[in-house]
Amino acid sequence: MKRLLRNKPAVKLSLLFTTVVALSIGVGSNPIFLQHEKSSVPVTTSTTIPNDSAQQIQPQVYWLKSNQNKLTLVAKSLPSDSSGSTPQQILTIAVQNLLSAKPSGDLSSTIPKGTKLLNLQVRADGVHVDLSPEFRSGGGSTSMIYRVAQVIYTVTSLDPNAKVFLSVGGQSIDNNHPLGGEGLILQQPTTRDRFAADFL
């Protein structure tokens, strides 16, 4: 333990390198990078959040930012007064914001206009999200990948390790119902880490 403490610069450098690597997700020649607002909002790592602490957590909505032909996922926290009292209500509000709000400034979204949230449930096995058929329309493989990334990261903003079951019009995005003409297929359930591994 004493040796580790004496080598603080090396430890800090190692942690910095690990953080940078963990926050970059490659998709073909278009790497995804994650950028978070500076926030003092606590992040929980448990799937179930007690109702008394849920009100203190701000969900985050993930938008896209383009910089030198690279897309970046940018997390924006919703106002605290827009949060519900349960994780399911909180995430429902976050996804509805993602689908209907207009991103500000230089931020954008690849989610097609008119896409609606049909259902969102937080269950013991993960977060189940069902979107309207508009989610399948328009765009190539890059657009499909980034719109899925926006949804996955938004619904896991309370728990980055949560499992996600994503469907469109009641049909799971899988081998039988791939997303778009490019045929994007998700392993269900998926997670942030699995998404990164599948589309690295």
Side-chain angles (χ1 to χ4, degrees):
M1 179 62 72
K2 290 183 178 180
R3 292 181 180 178
L4 289 176
L5 292 175
R6 291 173 182 172
N7 200 18
K8 284 184 179 179
V11 173
K12 288 182 180 178
L13 182 60
S14 175
L15 288 175
L16 177 61
F17 178 77
T18 302
T19 301
V20 171
V21 172
L23 292 181
S24 40
I25 307 172
V27 181
S29 59
N30 297 298
I32 295 177
F33 297 94
L34 302 182
Q35 177 181 332
H36 294 269
E37 280 189 321
K38 291 182 179 179
S39 173
S40 60
V41 178
V43 177
T44 180
T45 56
S46 67
T47 302
T48 304
I49 303 172
N51 287 340
D52 58 350
S53 64
Q55 294 180 344
Q56 302 173 8
I57 299 176
Q58 290 177 292
Q60 292 178 314
V61 175
Y62 281 79
W63 304 106
L64 298 173
K65 183 177 182 180
S66 179
N67 183 21
Q68 297 181 343
N69 296 323
K70 294 179 181 179
L71 286 176
T72 303
L73 276 170
V74 180
K76 293 290 185 180
S77 295
L78 290 179
S80 57
D81 59 357
S82 67
S83 298
S85 59
T86 69
Q88 183 165 304
Q89 291 172 336
I90 291 172
L91 294 178
T92 295
I93 292 171
V95 174
Q96 289 174 338
N97 185 279
L98 173 66
L99 300 180
S100 63
K102 183 178 179 181
S104 60
D106 56 354
L107 301 180
S108 63
S109 173
T110 56
I111 297 176
K113 291 183 179 179
T115 301
K116 296 178 179 61
L117 176 63
L118 300 181
N119 192 22
L120 186 151
Q121 295 183 3
V122 177
R123 304 178 187 170
D125 60 348
V127 183
H128 294 250
V129 183
D130 188 26
L131 302 173
S132 65
E134 288 85 352
F135 190 73
R136 293 184 178 276
S137 63
S141 59
T142 299
S143 176
M144 295 295 172
I145 289 170
Y146 280 93
R147 72 182 62 170
V148 170
Q150 285 182 262
V151 174
I152 290 174
Y153 278 81
T154 297
V155 301
T156 57
S157 60
L158 299 183
D159 177 9
N161 299 313
K163 295 179 180 179
V164 180
F165 296 82
L166 185 58
S167 60
V168 177
Q171 296 178 333
S172 177
I173 300 175
D174 53 23
N175 289 315
N176 296 323
H177 305 99
L179 185 65
E182 300 294 330
L184 185 147
I185 297 170
L186 291 178
Q187 294 185 47
Q188 301 274 9
T190 191
T191 62
R192 289 187 179 191
D193 288 343
R194 179 171 292 176
F195 183 84
D198 289 346
F199 297 97
L200 184 62

